[in-house]
Amino acid sequence: MSWLVLFVAGLFEVAWAIGLKYSEGFTRFWPTAGTIAAMLISVALLGVAMKSLPVGTAYAVWTGIGAVGTVLLGIALFGDPTSPARLVCVALILAGIVGLKVVS
């Protein structure tokens, strides 16, 4: 169950990272409110997951999910670059996340 909670926490990290872009420097009310709510939920769920997962593993997986999800949504929503080297780096992060799950 902790891994599922951690995964959802990572999804909320993606939500707040993308929300930062839509908030335009915290100048738009609703995107800012959604971003702050996603931040709080993400960190709260991370804390719940850390009750039974090692702190280093939980934090690395949380940030990895956030990084991979944010890069992929940046590509899909904002036309961020999709060079082969960039995609290989994202794949390496994903491999690290899977590796941490397997060895934990």
Side-chain angles (χ1 to χ4, degrees):
M1 184 57 102
S2 294
W3 284 102
L4 178 61
V5 171
L6 183 60
F7 179 73
V8 174
L11 295 179
F12 274 99
E13 186 186 4
V14 173
W16 72 254
I18 296 299
L20 286 173
K21 180 79 168 172
Y22 285 112
S23 75
E24 296 178 8
F26 298 112
T27 61
R28 298 178 61 213
F29 179 78
W30 289 114
T32 296
T35 298
I36 292 170
M39 287 175 174
L40 294 172
I41 293 167
S42 180
V43 172
L45 291 174
L46 174 61
V48 169
M50 282 186 177
K51 287 181 180 180
S52 60
L53 295 174
V55 65
T57 300
Y59 185 76
V61 169
W62 179 68
T63 58
I65 293 169
V68 169
T70 302
V71 168
L72 295 178
L73 279 179
I75 291 167
L77 297 174
F78 307 117
D80 288 357
T82 58
S83 69
R86 185 175 161 103
L87 296 177
V88 166
C89 290
V90 169
L92 289 171
I93 295 169
L94 188 56
I97 294 168
V98 171
L100 286 171
K101 167 66 171 115
V102 169
V103 300
S104 291

